[in-house]
Amino acid sequence: MTVEQELLRLEGTVENLIFENQDTGYTVFELSGGGELFVVCGTVGEVHIGETVVCTGTFETHATYGRQFRAQTCETDIPRDVEAIYAYLSSGALPYIRIATAKKIMEKFGADALDIIANDPAQLTCIRGISPDKAERISQEFRRMFGVRELIAYLARFDISAPRAVEVFRTFGPHARDAIDKNPYLLCGDPLHITFAHADRIAAQLELSLESGIRMGAALQYVLRHNANNGHTCLPRRKLIATTAAFIHLPEEQLERELDLRIGEGEVRRQVYDEVEYAYLPDLYSAESDIAWRLANLMKYPAPQPKHLDRDIEFLQLVQGFAYAPLQAEAIRTALRQNCLVLTGGPGTGKTTTVNAILSLFERQGDRVALCAPTGRAAKRLSELTNHKASTIHRLLEVDYSGGVVTFIHNEKNLLKCDVVILDEMSMVDVKLFQSLLAALRPACRIIMVGDTDQLPSVGPGNILGEVIKSGVVPTVCLTEIFRQAAKSLIVENAHNIVNGRGLQKGGKTDDFFFLEAGGELCQQLVCDLVGTRLPRSYGFDPIRDIQVLCPTKLGLSGTQALNVRLQQLLNPPAHGKAQLEASGSVFRVGDKVMQVRNNYDIPWQRDGGEQGVGAYNGDIGFVLSINPHDRSMTVQMDDRKLIYTSDHLSELEIAYAVTIHKSQGSEFPAVVIPAAEVPAKLCYRNLIYTGVTRARKLCIVAGLRSTVNAMTGNVRQNLRYSGLCRLLQNEWNDRVGSTSVPEAAP
């Protein structure tokens, strides 16, 4: 049991700045107090030489840097007397103010100078050289510097850490405290996403009524957000009301009235499908309706017709030495004659061959084709399969981080310079990302959506592939024939067995698939033996880089949490000279395999070729290259990028020797091991194990209980996702042509 150290108070003057990260607020400085000089570190916001500060925290002894004071808070009083104000202004802490200007300000305003700067900066324009723009900038910087530290101290009362307080300030600005005082439930949303129970505790300290409209409205939005994180873009009104009422223990009638108020104010959107009322968060309704509008427009826009398509297909067949199957040929013709195509099919059915033919024919007629996929690994795989450059959707659209809010450089005002987009792993694409991609396409740009409907749907909200197919509006070709070469693979055969509800074949010495029966601790030990010894010895696989354990669940003996502890100890144990640090309950070491577990557009990276940027995405896998214990930062290699993780971003990394099948979407690994011994009933469904098996490129081993595997393959229930995209797309198409029938390909 650990004993919490009593917080100490350290007061003094800032003598020297050693290190400062303005983005995160992490600072190291020397503090003079009581005749001693202390090294202080922590996420405390900005400090400036000459300031008098009061820090609370604890002393610690660092192995490299010696004794230092780790500050949890750092408060600075605004200088009050004339001498202190002049010293502060002349220090250069504020823009445009140096010694001469500071003297003029003091002569004009005296002890009121800082109040003028904070509250009435227009008065500064009477000082020669200070324009209205400069005056406003001086005021903003002054309020920002003192506001960050004030907010850190304020939110610490509510058990919100300094790094998170810095994020709150960056989101809400100098008036963050006032906003939170009025509505503490703002902290349930971006950027903190604290739990509603935590927000309730803060509201209680602020004496906000449990029956206030603020709380009820926040609860309704919280439930919608929570369900969006589970994939739903909307919820039936009745389900939203009943769930929220049970969640916050208030009568449904009160929530009915509050929901109507929120709908009236535009904070919740209302739609009716099949006489059932649904509630949306506004951004998700906008995403689905915009997707429907843009896809319908693309479908209605006349596509240029190729003159010699059949002759060109015959030429491709002669060059390649084989003929396309009837469904492949249908897909190729549709792609060249329509503006939109959905191409689906399981493993071994020739999707890649078909995509390569479509790509070749578009290039033969001079079209510019962009290849993309939702993740870096999926894009890399697409590039390898087509021998053409492919990028992530984010990289294709070029993320713009300059405004503090993530936007894309390519959008409806700056369209992509391509004639065709081929989008692979379509099942992984969520509604907001697809909305952004469609918005950046020229009116005549064609889009080929490639995916597997039996895969798990996207991690983010929506079920675009399934909803678009269900709508019947976009031409769809589903490849079903398994080709001879692929039929030799037991991975492919068992994948189709799963889809058809049949049991898995066990596999033999010459196969690329094995089912090994084991349960409980034996299953856990078997997985560790396979990864650490048996597969590297028999197949030459690198146990860390080539083999990926994919778990249906995080919990239990064969879940990711337990297996990561065992596998890390087995594959990357502690050693003398090997740096490590602890964060969010995990120990990270140099050499560890790690995964980014949510989208973050602030993490800086550099490519091996020198290109720089920012951003890491949910599901990215990498390896820890180095650790700096002093500032608690890590450098992680993800494909061809090196990313710098500061202390406040470490919570977004997880050890990844074992990851959930959900997190593996869009990835492919040389060897996959799937423990399927103790799987919760809610996760025993077909497309979960199907997704895991189809992540394997060369070898797949399922280790578990036959009864569990049969329960998964026999359960056709997929995660129900509430979405209105199918109906919205049908309505948009019907508005244009008066029918929801699938458009016929031009002759």
Side-chain angles (χ1 to χ4, degrees):
M1 184 177 72
T2 59
V3 179
E4 290 188 10
Q5 290 181 269
E6 183 180 351
L7 292 181
L8 303 175
R9 188 172 183 271
L10 193 63
E11 183 175 356
T13 303
V14 178
E15 294 289 341
N16 181 39
L17 282 177
I18 299 172
F19 174 82
E20 183 179 33
N21 185 323
Q22 291 188 353
D23 289 333
T24 65
Y26 184 83
T27 307
V28 183
F29 59 95
E30 291 181 330
L31 184 72
S32 174
E36 291 188 64
L37 193 64
F38 304 95
V39 174
V40 180
C41 63
T43 305
V44 296
E46 292 181 47
V47 296
H48 297 90
I49 295 172
E51 286 183 341
T52 298
V53 298
V54 178
C55 301
T56 57
T58 56
F59 280 104
E60 62 182 24
T61 301
H62 193 279
T64 303
Y65 302 100
R67 188 168 184 259
Q68 56 189 20
F69 189 83
R70 181 166 292 279
Q72 293 188 11
T73 66
C74 181
E75 299 181 46
T76 304
D77 282 334
I78 295 175
R80 300 297 177 187
D81 60 74
V82 172
E83 290 79 10
I85 294 171
Y86 175 68
Y88 172 74
L89 291 177
S90 60
S91 70
L94 296 176
Y96 312 119
I97 298 177
R98 296 296 181 265
I99 294 175
T101 307
K103 187 175 181 180
K104 294 176 184 176
I105 291 174
M106 295 305 300
E107 289 172 352
K108 177 68 177 176
F109 302 112
D112 295 328
L114 296 185
D115 288 334
I116 295 294
I117 289 173
N119 303 309
D120 193 8
Q123 290 196 49
L124 293 176
T125 58
C126 68
I127 306 295
R128 186 173 181 181
I130 299 182
S131 65
D133 286 345
K134 287 182 178 180
E136 185 59 32
R137 171 74 192 283
I138 291 167
S139 179
Q140 288 177 355
E141 184 64 10
F142 178 77
R143 285 182 281 121
R144 185 188 67 80
M145 287 191 306
F146 283 92
V148 172
R149 287 200 293 272
E150 181 183 282
L151 187 66
I152 288 172
Y154 175 67
L155 292 181
R157 297 167 46 197
F158 306 125
D159 298 320
I160 293 174
S161 68
R164 307 300 277 160
V166 172
E167 290 188 64
V168 173
F169 188 88
R170 289 168 61 187
T171 301
F172 297 108
H175 302 294
R177 177 171 176 171
D178 291 340
I180 292 164
D181 279 342
K182 292 176 183 175
N183 183 3
Y185 297 97
L186 291 173
L187 298 173
C188 292
D190 289 330
L192 284 196
H193 294 286
I194 68 171
T195 65
F196 197 85
H198 192 170
D200 259 349
R201 291 195 296 272
I202 297 172
Q205 288 181 257
L206 298 174
E207 299 182 348
L208 190 69
S209 168
L210 291 176
E211 297 187 11
S212 70
I214 288 174
R215 181 172 185 260
M216 287 190 288
L220 289 164
Q221 291 184 313
Y222 187 84
V223 170
L224 285 172
R225 259 196 316 274
H226 175 79
N227 280 275
N229 291 333
N230 290 331
H232 305 290
T233 59
C234 56
L235 285 180
R237 179 186 176 109
R238 294 302 319 146
K239 186 175 183 68
L240 172 61
I241 292 293
T243 302
T244 309
F247 178 55
I248 61 172
H249 309 293
L250 286 178
E252 291 188 12
E253 296 75 18
Q254 287 182 251
L255 287 160
E256 292 275 10
R257 292 191 294 271
E258 188 62 36
L259 178 57
D260 287 333
L261 285 173
R262 300 289 165 163
I263 291 171
E265 293 171 0
E267 295 178 19
V268 176
R269 294 298 301 266
R270 171 186 179 274
Q271 280 294 113
V272 177
Y273 307 122
D274 299 325
E275 300 182 350
V276 176
E277 183 178 339
Y278 289 81
Y280 280 89
L281 291 171
D283 60 329
L284 294 180
Y285 174 72
S286 174
E288 284 204 334
S289 58
D290 197 41
I291 288 168
W293 182 81
R294 291 182 186 280
L295 278 179
N297 270 359
L298 277 174
M299 289 300 306
K300 191 73 171 66
Y301 199 91
Q305 300 300 302
K307 294 181 180 179
H308 309 292
L309 181 55
D310 288 336
R311 187 186 68 186
D312 291 340
I313 293 174
E314 288 176 9
F315 176 76
L316 274 182
Q317 292 177 142
L318 286 172
V319 170
Q320 294 170 150
F322 61 83
Y324 297 114
L327 284 174
Q328 287 181 306
E330 179 187 339
I332 295 166
R333 290 189 178 93
T334 305
L336 272 291
R337 289 172 174 166
Q338 295 285 346
N339 282 333
C340 298
L341 169 69
V342 173
L343 175 63
T344 73
T349 57
K351 289 200 303 293
T352 299
T353 300
T354 307
V355 167
N356 277 325
I358 292 169
L359 175 58
S360 177
L361 291 175
F362 275 127
E363 289 185 331
R364 280 171 64 88
Q365 63 186 32
D367 288 316
R368 297 165 295 180
V369 183
L371 299 172
C372 62
T375 67
R377 285 178 172 266
K380 184 178 180 181
R381 179 167 169 261
L382 178 61
S383 181
E384 291 168 351
L385 293 173
T386 61
N387 201 29
H388 283 66
K389 179 183 176 182
S391 67
T392 63
I393 300 173
H394 285 86
R395 195 173 184 195
L396 178 67
L397 297 177
E398 298 183 63
V399 181
D400 179 10
Y401 308 92
S402 59
V405 177
V406 177
T407 57
F408 293 105
I409 291 173
H410 291 290
N411 50 44
E412 61 271 15
K413 296 180 180 178
N414 181 26
L415 303 177
L416 289 166
K417 295 179 174 62
C418 58
D419 306 300
V420 182
V421 169
I422 297 177
L423 172 54
D424 198 15
E425 295 288 358
M426 184 65 196
S427 62
M428 292 183 61
V429 182
D430 64 59
V431 290
K432 297 186 82 170
L433 186 57
F434 194 51
Q435 175 194 22
S436 296
L437 177 61
L438 290 181
L441 300 186
R442 299 187 307 141
C445 185
R446 306 182 193 216
I447 183 166
I448 315 297
M449 295 166 275
V450 184
D452 184 345
T453 54
D454 293 309
Q455 299 279 2
L456 290 168
S458 60
V459 174
N463 182 19
I464 296 173
L465 184 61
E467 290 283 297
V468 168
I469 292 172
K470 188 169 70 172
S471 74
V473 171
V474 177
T476 300
V477 177
C478 181
L479 304 178
T480 55
E481 179 183 348
I482 303 175
F483 290 93
R484 187 180 306 167
Q485 185 174 356
K488 297 176 183 177
S489 166
L490 197 55
I491 292 175
V492 172
E493 185 175 342
N494 272 330
H496 288 273
N497 285 339
I498 292 169
V499 168
N500 293 307
R502 297 191 294 264
L504 298 179
Q505 291 196 44
K506 192 170 183 179
K509 289 184 178 180
T510 60
D511 289 317
D512 59 1
F513 181 99
F514 298 94
F515 174 73
L516 305 176
E517 189 142 5
E521 290 186 12
L522 291 177
C523 179
Q524 186 189 82
Q525 186 58 48
L526 175 58
V527 170
C528 292
D529 289 345
L530 287 166
V531 174
T533 305
R534 292 167 62 174
L535 298 185
R537 182 179 60 205
S538 299
Y539 296 91
F541 290 130
D542 183 300
I544 296 178
R545 294 184 176 270
D546 293 336
I547 304 172
Q548 184 61 57
V549 178
L550 301 180
C551 304
T553 178
K554 291 183 177 182
L555 306 178
L557 290 170
S558 53
T560 59
Q561 293 177 0
L563 280 169
N564 271 321
V565 172
R566 290 285 308 273
L567 290 169
Q568 184 189 42
Q569 185 65 27
L570 177 68
L571 302 175
N572 192 29
H576 179 70
K578 183 185 290 184
Q580 67 177 45
L581 63 81
E582 185 174 351
S584 301
S586 296
V587 175
F588 296 95
R589 299 189 186 105
V590 171
D592 272 336
K593 181 192 289 188
V594 293
M595 173 180 276
Q596 174 76 17
V597 295
R598 74 179 180 93
N599 288 344
N600 186 313
Y601 304 100
D602 295 327
I603 297 174
W605 53 256
Q606 180 170 333
R607 293 193 188 279
D608 295 341
E611 178 189 353
Q612 294 182 338
V614 286
Y617 307 106
N618 192 358
D620 286 352
I621 291 179
F623 303 90
V624 178
L625 292 181
S626 64
I627 292 175
N628 184 334
H630 179 55
D631 64 5
R632 295 178 55 78
S633 68
M634 296 197 312
T635 301
V636 177
Q637 180 87 38
M638 290 182 175
D639 294 324
D640 62 344
R641 298 176 301 154
K642 289 184 177 71
L643 294 93
I644 308 299
Y645 282 81
T646 55
S647 59
D648 52 321
H649 290 143
L650 294 180
S651 62
E652 299 170 9
L653 282 177
E654 291 181 358
I655 300 297
Y657 300 102
V659 302
T660 62
I661 294 173
H662 282 89
K663 291 289 188 183
S664 73
Q665 289 173 263
S667 297
E668 190 179 68
F669 310 96
V672 163
V673 178
I674 303 174
E678 300 167 351
V679 180
K682 66 179 182 179
L683 293 174
C684 279
Y685 52 90
R686 184 176 294 174
N687 65 350
L688 184 66
I689 191 168
Y690 173 83
T691 299
V693 169
T694 54
R695 299 306 89 202
R697 186 164 67 243
K698 296 180 180 178
L699 179 68
C700 180
I701 296 180
V702 174
L705 300 176
R706 176 67 72 174
S707 58
T708 300
V709 174
N710 287 345
M712 297 182 78
T713 57
N715 186 357
V716 297
R717 177 191 67 83
Q718 297 186 1
N719 283 343
L720 169 67
R721 288 201 166 186
Y722 290 110
S723 167
L725 180 58
C726 169
R727 184 51 53 87
L728 289 167
L729 184 52
Q730 289 174 339
N731 291 344
E732 288 287 352
W733 181 252
N734 196 42
D735 287 345
R736 286 163 175 76
V737 300
S739 169
T740 56
S741 61
V742 178
E744 294 291 334

